[in-house]
Amino acid sequence: MSLVVVGSVAYDAIETPHGTRERTLGGSCTYIALSASYFVTPAIVAVVGEDFSSEDRSLLSSKGVDLEGLEQVAGKTFLWSGVYSPDMNDRTTLRTDLNVFADFQPKLPASYAGQDYLFLGNIQPALQSDVYRQMRRLRFVGGDTMNLWIAQNRHELLEAIRNWDFLLVNDSEARMLVEENNLKRAAQKIIDLGPHTLVIKRGEHGAMLFRRDTLFMVPGYLLEDVFDPTGAGDCFAGGFVGYLAERGFNLQNGHVDLQELHRAVIYGSVMGSFCCEQFGVERFRTLTRKEIDQRFDEFRRFTAF
Amino acid sequence: MSLVVVGSVAYDAIETPHGTRERTLGGSCTYIALSASYFVTPAIVAVVGEDFSSEDRSLLSSKGVDLEGLEQVAGKTFLWSGVYSPDMNDRTTLRTDLNVFADFQPKLPASYAGQDYLFLGNIQPALQSDVYRQMRRLRFVGGDTMNLWIAQNRHELLEAIRNWDFLLVNDSEARMLVEENNLKRAAQKIIDLGPHTLVIKRGEHGAMLFRRDTLFMVPGYLLEDVFDPTGAGDCFAGGFVGYLAERGFNLQNGHVDLQELHRAVIYGSVMGSFCCEQFGVERFRTLTRKEIDQRFDEFRRFTAF
């Protein structure tokens, strides 16, 4: 099955207690696509500047990522820099230079429009809707958002997610979106807005999947060392939607295979955990599907009773 | 099977965003015993003052708690007062009047010394050791501690836990005890100190059980409303050790039934979650074993994949 991913491709400068990287490949679309590439062949829609290196292009290609929708334009690639607190539970953004990303107008190659799965990474909600409208025969669509869009583009965001099967956000974003502090009630209010499935990422504390009548919870994977949490949430997204696309997950007359959704949450958690083991996208240079499936089995062992 | 519980019996003044209680039954021993009473007949060792009310004594008796070891002496019962932050993740202690608890010297009734299970609630470690030495044929022993004893009575604490089968603490206490920030490494260092089993309570984020070669994790139960988290950790302890005592859990030639330990963590989580649903010990006035087992089944449904 085929998956289209929209989002940012960026260069990141990262400082964590374990070290510093001056300029490393990043961006939501990058992480989602790299993560999903272990399950399907993701096709990306994003924009980079003239400074985008051939090595980084090669990394994506080597993982089978379809780059036809990766536009290269005059100017510089989106640059983000941030520093993590000693316990890595907080990070401070030092710099956000949108550069070519400021005028991003996603253009879908003709070959993308007929694909089955769509994940709308965290970009302006009107652009997410724009991409959604260009798809012709979606089986399953969902996306991410952030506090900025919830505060400043609420109307467009509500318009966008009305059509989504799932929304994937962190707990504070979920609370903010429906102005409800209690997560259980917030989840039901979000489901009222359109998505039949809500996935809440909680970082080291795991993840939850809500539907109208069910709840699924998974604790966080306990890592020996967290080197760099950058991109972990996007890798979760890539594992979640990548697994569902691999399995040909479908809404059959409104019926949902809950077990598959639950396993997708586990695969999301697995991919997020691997992401933290090295700086930036470095872990994906060596990661194998076998390691992924082994960690999936570990999750089962560590949570069965 | 029979369980001896040592700890404090107190009166609490509590303020949460949901309201205020001026004087309500509390203390670690109280919560542990009430929680464990759904599984076994706990026998408590504690001290109260002349002001301890017959209603509160009756509540404990009505749950089958053996009060022979509840000493009543001249003076006032231990008084604690605290206020919770709006999100209830933090609390500030306003007042701690040790009163009769300051001179607590646990005296075990003769009938207690032959019992099989012992849980040493959070009291001075030398007193925990004192009680331990009075027991004659223990099958399984463990306890709790706190930052105060870790900082000020480290030597006695290390002496005490050397004999325990399990230690049950929160994550910051675990890190502090062995001066190791990484929880996975901290757990192994604690196991080096004596207890073959370490249980980490993480409040709303669930719990973990570590042994030398295995790990078990459970996410927190998602409550509709948290009214008052006071005592939740002690109720976890009561459910954990209560279930094991009910099942006659034993170390057979060093062999441990892991499934039983995992289920004990779930029962601990279940009891901790019920505790938060009302102020103080109020939830235990109506709680039934049927509700407990139903929530245990919910945990299975919410975490299976």
Side-chain angles (χ1 to χ4, degrees):
Chain A
M1 291 294 161
S2 49
L3 166 69
V4 174
V5 176
V6 186
S8 58
V9 172
Y11 282 117
D12 291 346
I14 302 167
E15 191 184 331
T16 87
H18 293 278
T20 296
R21 290 295 180 278
E22 289 296 337
R23 183 182 171 86
T24 185
L25 179 61
S28 62
C29 188
T30 303
Y31 281 105
I32 299 163
L34 284 174
S35 173
S37 74
Y38 288 86
F39 303 91
V40 288
T41 299
I44 67 171
V45 183
V47 65
V48 292
E50 294 154 320
D51 58 346
F52 193 66
S53 82
S54 57
E55 288 79 7
D56 291 324
R57 185 178 285 273
S58 297
L59 173 66
L60 292 165
S61 304
S62 74
K63 296 292 175 184
V65 177
D66 182 342
L67 301 179
E68 197 188 338
L70 178 65
E71 200 184 354
Q72 191 158 16
V73 300
K76 281 188 166 179
T77 302
F78 179 16
L79 189 89
W80 175 83
S81 109
V83 56
Y84 285 85
S85 65
D87 66 2
M88 278 186 283
N89 286 327
D90 276 311
R91 78 173 180 200
T92 308
T93 291
L94 300 177
R95 202 169 150 185
T96 308
D97 298 346
L98 291 176
N99 297 332
V100 299
F101 192 61
D103 302 313
F104 180 41
Q105 290 295 336
K107 290 174 206 69
L108 258 66
S111 64
Y112 284 21
Q115 300 205 16
D116 307 294
Y117 296 84
L118 173 63
F119 188 82
L120 299 155
N122 173 20
I123 56 171
Q124 210 198 309
L127 298 183
Q128 291 177 319
S129 291
D130 193 40
V131 173
Y132 173 77
R133 280 190 296 266
Q134 297 178 55
M135 300 294 291
R136 279 198 310 267
R137 45 157 227 186
L138 283 175
R139 279 178 179 232
F140 202 62
V141 55
D144 192 2
T145 191
M146 71 186 291
N147 48 8
L148 178 72
W149 313 128
I150 297 172
Q152 294 182 10
N153 300 60
R154 176 173 285 272
H155 180 71
E156 292 96 315
L157 179 61
L158 295 180
E159 280 296 300
I161 68 173
R162 216 152 47 93
N163 301 303
W164 298 0
D165 292 296
F166 67 97
L167 173 69
L168 197 162
V169 287
N170 67 35
D171 38 7
S172 69
E173 289 157 354
R175 290 186 172 105
M176 186 180 172
L177 179 59
V178 289
E179 292 167 344
E180 165 63 60
N181 241 325
N182 180 284
L183 212 49
K184 206 166 177 176
R185 282 194 294 269
Q188 295 306 317
K189 287 186 179 181
I190 288 173
I191 289 170
D192 289 340
L193 298 176
H196 53 76
T197 298
L198 170 69
V199 183
I200 306 266
K201 303 171 284 182
R202 309 178 95 190
E204 62 165 327
H205 297 302
M208 296 190 281
L209 181 141
F210 291 90
R211 290 174 44 81
R212 179 69 73 202
D213 303 312
T214 61
L215 167 64
F216 174 67
M217 303 183 288
V218 58
Y221 184 83
L222 195 65
L223 285 166
E224 195 73 46
D225 276 305
V226 173
F227 261 81
D228 173 15
T230 310
D234 292 316
C235 289
F236 183 104
F240 177 78
V241 72
Y243 173 76
L244 292 175
E246 181 188 50
R247 301 289 293 174
F249 184 83
N250 214 340
L251 297 178
Q252 293 148 331
N253 310 317
H255 172 77
V256 157
D257 185 338
L258 277 182
Q259 289 303 311
E260 286 290 56
L261 279 180
H262 296 179
R263 286 182 206 118
V265 173
I266 302 297
Y267 273 108
S269 305
V270 165
M271 299 310 292
S273 75
F274 278 119
C275 178
C276 298
E277 289 184 347
Q278 290 182 27
F279 271 95
V281 299
E282 283 171 26
R283 187 63 179 90
F284 295 102
R285 294 185 195 277
T286 57
L287 183 66
T288 63
R289 177 63 187 256
K290 193 177 166 198
E291 288 178 289
I292 293 166
D293 290 333
Q294 279 170 347
R295 189 160 291 180
F296 181 92
D297 292 339
E298 261 190 286
F299 261 98
R300 204 186 286 282
R301 272 202 315 283
F302 291 169
T303 60
F305 64 91
Chain B
M1 291 293 162
S2 50
L3 167 69
V4 173
V5 177
V6 186
S8 59
V9 172
Y11 283 117
D12 291 346
I14 303 166
E15 190 183 331
T16 87
H18 293 279
T20 297
R21 290 293 180 280
E22 289 297 336
R23 183 182 170 87
T24 184
L25 179 61
S28 62
C29 188
T30 304
Y31 281 106
I32 298 163
L34 284 174
S35 173
S37 74
Y38 289 86
F39 304 91
V40 287
T41 298
I44 66 170
V45 183
V47 64
V48 292
E50 296 153 319
D51 58 345
F52 193 66
S53 82
S54 57
E55 288 79 9
D56 291 325
R57 186 178 283 273
S58 298
L59 173 66
L60 292 165
S61 304
S62 74
K63 297 290 174 185
V65 178
D66 182 342
L67 302 179
E68 197 187 339
L70 179 65
E71 201 184 354
Q72 190 158 18
V73 300
K76 281 188 166 178
T77 301
F78 180 15
L79 189 90
W80 175 83
S81 108
V83 56
Y84 286 85
S85 64
D87 66 1
M88 279 187 282
N89 287 329
D90 277 310
R91 77 174 180 200
T92 308
T93 292
L94 300 176
R95 201 169 149 185
T96 308
D97 298 347
L98 290 177
N99 297 331
V100 299
F101 192 62
D103 302 313
F104 180 40
Q105 291 293 335
K107 290 174 207 70
L108 257 66
S111 65
Y112 284 21
Q115 300 206 13
D116 308 294
Y117 296 83
L118 173 63
F119 188 82
L120 298 154
N122 172 23
I123 57 172
Q124 212 197 307
L127 298 183
Q128 291 177 320
S129 291
D130 193 40
V131 173
Y132 172 77
R133 281 190 296 267
Q134 297 177 57
M135 300 293 291
R136 281 198 308 269
R137 46 158 225 184
L138 282 175
R139 279 178 178 231
F140 201 63
V141 56
D144 191 3
T145 191
M146 71 187 290
N147 49 7
L148 178 73
W149 314 127
I150 297 172
Q152 296 182 9
N153 300 60
R154 175 174 284 273
H155 181 71
E156 294 98 314
L157 180 61
L158 295 180
E159 280 297 300
I161 67 173
R162 214 152 47 94
N163 301 302
W164 297 0
D165 292 295
F166 67 98
L167 174 68
L168 197 161
V169 287
N170 68 35
D171 37 7
S172 70
E173 289 157 355
R175 290 185 172 106
M176 186 180 172
L177 179 59
V178 288
E179 292 166 345
E180 165 62 61
N181 241 325
N182 181 285
L183 212 50
K184 205 166 178 176
R185 283 193 293 268
Q188 294 306 317
K189 288 187 178 180
I190 289 172
I191 290 170
D192 289 338
L193 298 175
H196 53 75
T197 298
L198 170 68
V199 183
I200 307 265
K201 303 171 282 182
R202 309 179 94 191
E204 62 164 328
H205 297 304
M208 295 190 283
L209 181 141
F210 292 90
R211 289 172 47 79
R212 180 68 73 202
D213 302 311
T214 61
L215 168 64
F216 175 66
M217 305 183 289
V218 59
Y221 184 83
L222 194 67
L223 285 165
E224 194 74 44
D225 276 304
V226 173
F227 260 81
D228 174 15
T230 310
D234 293 316
C235 290
F236 183 104
F240 177 79
V241 73
Y243 173 76
L244 291 174
E246 181 188 49
R247 302 287 294 175
F249 185 83
N250 214 340
L251 295 178
Q252 294 149 331
N253 310 317
H255 172 77
V256 157
D257 184 338
L258 277 182
Q259 289 303 310
E260 286 288 56
L261 278 180
H262 296 180
R263 285 183 207 117
V265 173
I266 302 296
Y267 273 109
S269 306
V270 165
M271 298 310 291
S273 75
F274 278 120
C275 179
C276 298
E277 289 185 346
Q278 290 182 27
F279 272 95
V281 299
E282 282 170 28
R283 186 65 179 90
F284 294 103
R285 295 186 196 277
T286 58
L287 183 66
T288 64
R289 177 65 187 255
K290 194 178 164 196
E291 288 178 289
I292 293 167
D293 290 334
Q294 279 170 347
R295 188 161 292 181
F296 181 93
D297 292 337
E298 261 190 286
F299 261 98
R300 203 185 286 283
R301 272 203 314 284
F302 290 170
T303 60
F305 63 91

